[in-house]
Amino acid sequence: MIIIKDLKIKRFSKNRAYLATSLGEAAIDKKEVKNLKQGDKIKAYLFFDRYDNLKATKNIGMTVDNIYSLKASEIRKKGVDFLTEDGKKLFMPFSEKTYRINKDMIYPVALKIDDNNLLYLTSKIRNLLSYDHNYKENDLVEGRIYSINKAVGAFIAIENKYDSLMRMTELRGVHIEGELVKARVKEVKDDGKLELTLRKRSYLEIDSDSKLILDYLEDNGGFVMLGDKSSPESIFRIFKLSKSSFKRAIGRLYKNNKIKIYNNKIVLKER
């Protein structure tokens, strides 16, 4: 339950009112305290603007415990500043940062509020993500990586609402938290958990996978020490393909009379 404390109006200036808070005086637009007087109390959120001035507002235009994609504007020893679209500066304390954050990159972050009514951000968003969705296998989705576990894979927040996983065997190249990923739903578990892949549907990928293998053979002396009996790890290390995708691709090349297949070797046929 979110509790917003009442804050007392301490004084007025020409365009602003000032609230007494445990963090010092917080300026609020006079329009937000219309018809109120000094000594009256209101419920308001606190935040620091981009110039580090303490501000207050009754309407933040965002929802506490919701996830937003925000840009990191400044990296500090104590944490990271993020800017909202309307220019509010929201701070992520070091204790709420779960991975390295780079300036000017966008990250999925959750809005929180502390006991002083001060808004802050966190990258700890997993418990705010849901599996209550309508996605089906082969649907295309988009989301940002919010955690990478090298033993498991990359966890991705789809639309800042739904949790999903892309396993290490599905990842290609180097990936980092905050990265925007466009992927395909590979599987929907019974409990709604989503597993993603960067690969297209198998029948669309056979040609590109076959070309990948053929190009490798042509550039590496016409052979590769992989075949029907090779381990999935060996195949992935060279081609970044699953064993099933690899076998489909070499099957296509064999059928087209491009290669010879042995248990642990593939040889390019002479042309």
Side-chain angles (χ1 to χ4, degrees):
M1 182 178 178
I2 301 168
I3 299 175
I4 308 296
K5 293 179 179 178
D6 290 323
L7 300 174
K8 184 184 291 187
I9 299 176
K10 185 176 180 181
R11 62 186 178 91
F12 286 88
S13 67
K14 182 177 180 181
N15 297 314
R16 296 181 179 86
Y18 292 86
L19 307 181
T21 83
S22 59
L23 302 174
E25 287 190 351
I28 186 169
D29 193 301
K30 216 170 185 178
K31 294 177 182 178
E32 294 200 55
V33 292
K34 190 176 180 180
N35 300 323
L36 296 178
K37 61 184 184 300
Q38 185 175 333
D40 286 347
K41 292 184 177 182
I42 64 168
K43 295 184 184 296
Y45 300 97
L46 304 180
F47 65 95
F48 288 96
D49 67 13
R50 67 179 66 195
Y51 305 108
D52 279 334
N53 298 311
L54 184 62
K55 296 289 188 69
T57 182
K58 292 166 63 178
N59 304 298
I60 57 177
M62 300 167 70
T63 303
V64 173
D65 282 341
N66 273 19
I67 300 169
Y68 299 89
S69 294
L70 299 181
K71 181 185 287 188
S73 62
E74 186 177 353
I75 313 298
R76 299 196 265 166
K77 288 184 178 180
K78 293 183 178 180
V80 183
D81 290 324
F82 288 80
L83 285 181
T84 65
E85 290 184 359
D86 61 357
K88 292 185 180 70
K89 184 168 73 173
L90 298 177
F91 185 61
M92 178 186 289
F94 184 82
S95 59
E96 298 295 326
K97 186 167 72 75
T98 57
Y99 48 77
R100 180 179 178 181
I101 290 177
N102 298 304
K103 185 178 178 180
D104 294 330
M105 189 164 177
I106 295 173
Y107 295 89
V109 294
L111 183 66
K112 293 285 188 177
I113 186 168
D114 70 11
D115 293 338
N116 296 312
N117 290 18
L118 183 67
L119 297 168
Y120 69 95
L121 298 175
T122 180
S123 63
K124 301 172 184 177
I125 64 172
R126 180 167 294 167
N127 65 338
L128 300 176
L129 293 168
S130 168
Y131 297 121
D132 184 17
H133 55 78
N134 295 313
Y135 292 117
K136 305 180 297 297
E137 186 177 327
N138 293 318
D139 281 351
L140 300 179
V141 297
E142 183 175 289
R144 292 188 184 276
I145 297 174
Y146 72 87
S147 178
I148 296 177
N149 183 323
K150 292 183 180 179
V152 181
F155 293 89
I156 298 168
I158 299 173
E159 297 180 4
N160 287 334
K161 295 179 181 179
Y162 310 111
D163 204 1
S164 65
L165 169 65
M166 186 176 295
R167 295 191 179 275
M168 292 303 296
T169 52
E170 298 292 341
L171 291 171
R172 297 175 176 179
V174 177
H175 298 273
I176 59 173
E177 288 89 352
E179 180 179 347
L180 184 65
V181 174
K182 295 181 180 180
R184 177 174 63 87
V185 176
K186 182 180 180 182
E187 184 180 0
V188 181
K189 304 286 188 180
D190 291 340
D191 59 2
K193 290 181 180 178
L194 295 167
E195 293 209 4
L196 308 182
T197 178
L198 293 174
R199 300 175 61 79
K200 301 174 185 176
R201 298 180 70 170
S202 59
Y203 71 89
L204 296 174
E205 288 237 327
I206 291 176
D207 286 341
S208 59
D209 293 344
S210 297
K211 185 177 185 305
L212 174 69
I213 295 169
L214 196 61
D215 288 346
Y216 181 92
L217 293 173
E218 291 176 342
D219 293 339
N220 291 273
F223 73 95
V224 62
M225 299 307 294
L226 295 172
D228 265 351
K229 304 299 182 183
S230 296
S231 69
E233 294 76 17
S234 298
I235 294 167
F236 188 80
R237 186 166 57 251
I238 295 177
F239 291 116
K240 299 297 185 290
L241 299 174
S242 66
K243 186 164 184 176
S244 59
S245 297
F246 174 75
K247 291 186 73 172
R248 283 195 297 267
I250 63 174
R252 169 67 66 87
L253 292 173
Y254 179 81
K255 184 178 179 180
N256 291 338
N257 203 34
K258 301 287 187 181
I259 61 172
K260 293 180 180 179
I261 302 174
Y262 302 92
N263 285 344
N264 290 293
K265 182 170 67 172
I266 296 172
V267 178
L268 184 66
K269 281 194 171 183
E270 293 184 7
R271 300 185 179 182

